Amino acid sequence: MSTYLIGDVQGCHGALTRLLNHISFSPSRDTVYLLGDLINRGPESVEVLRYCMELGDVIKPLLGNHDLHLLASAYGVRKPGKRDTLQSILNAPDRAALLHWISQQPLARSIQNPQGQRLLMVHAGVLPQWSLEETLQLADEVHQQIKGEALPQFLMHMYGNLPNHWDNSFTGSDRNRVIVNALTRIRFCTAQGVMDFESSEAADAAPAGLMPWFDCPDRKTAQDIVAFGHWSTLGLVNRPNLMALDTGCVWGGCLSAMEIGADFRERQLHQIHCEQAQKPG
């Protein structure tokens, strides 16, 4: 019985199945957590969703920004961009089932081992003011709207870069937007957790006054283990309390799976090289 964390698939169904074959994945025995951005940019978005749906509860995804973009496109809130590969889903005969399934996936997950170690999984990051419990609570607060009848109204107010910081007194769309942006979009922020959405460079190219979110001093989740994707220019990070697993599959990099042991710091990395589906830039 093995547990795997896999970075951004982004519509690369062939790469996903090759990786699962490489690790000898068994649906009757193993569990796979997908760290968001299951679809878009790659050539086989609809195949990824159908494959995950067929495997059932042994595949446990998170919502990433591209997954939310699919929902926004489906509801007419955003038009698909030139580089998007969402039409295979939007035009599919089983479109309704595919959209429903993706809307039921959470924005954060957590597991705990018998020794009390906690592993938090998000797509992009966590604000320094949030503990693990608060992160899960806020993620669920938003997800209750995404998975229900409030979804169209929620999507209409989801986009925007402001507010760019957390205040527990925020309500309504301001509160929702900060939560979504932190969990699905953040890379850099100030030491106080003011988010920046302009730069997507590597961590060592942080603009003046900014730092990777995980390097914020006094981050409340610093003692927990956090795994995330989203940041392909960051590349693989495997620290005792941090795993970054977006290794640029869709850009011609690798698709990465981290196998975690009973002790979450016991890990084995599995990777397969991927054909380039999009050119960066």
Side-chain angles (χ1 to χ4, degrees), residues 37-58:
D37 282 0
L38 280 68
I39 49 89
N40 206 16
R41 302 289 172 82
E44 303 157 323
S45 289
V46 73
E47 288 84 358
V48 170
L49 293 190
R50 287 172 178 156
Y51 181 72
C52 291
M53 289 173 64
E54 288 170 4
L55 284 172
D57 197 45
V58 298

Side-chain angles (χ1 to χ4, degrees), residues 97-157:
L98 296 168
L99 295 175
H100 176 76
W101 181 84
I102 202 74
S103 72
Q104 302 307 296
Q105 306 311 317
L107 287 132
R109 292 183 183 270
S110 179
I111 55 176
Q112 182 169 329
N113 66 14
Q115 291 74 42
Q117 288 176 317
R118 299 187 298 180
L119 170 59
L120 173 65
M121 290 166 274
V122 295
H123 176 60
V126 179
L127 288 175
Q129 297 92 338
W130 298 347
S131 67
L132 184 149
E133 291 84 359
E134 289 168 325
T135 301
L136 294 172
Q137 178 182 346
L138 294 170
D140 185 64
E141 181 180 315
V142 168
H143 190 229
Q144 291 303 314
Q145 300 170 70
I146 294 173
K147 71 179 184 179
E149 295 181 357
L151 175 59
Q153 184 71 14
F154 170 85
L155 292 170
M156 288 180 62
H157 301 283

Side-chain angles (χ1 to χ4, degrees), residues 181-193:
N181 284 344
L183 294 174
T184 69
R185 294 183 62 203
I186 193 173
R187 294 183 180 94
F188 294 108
C189 63
T190 68
Q192 294 75 35

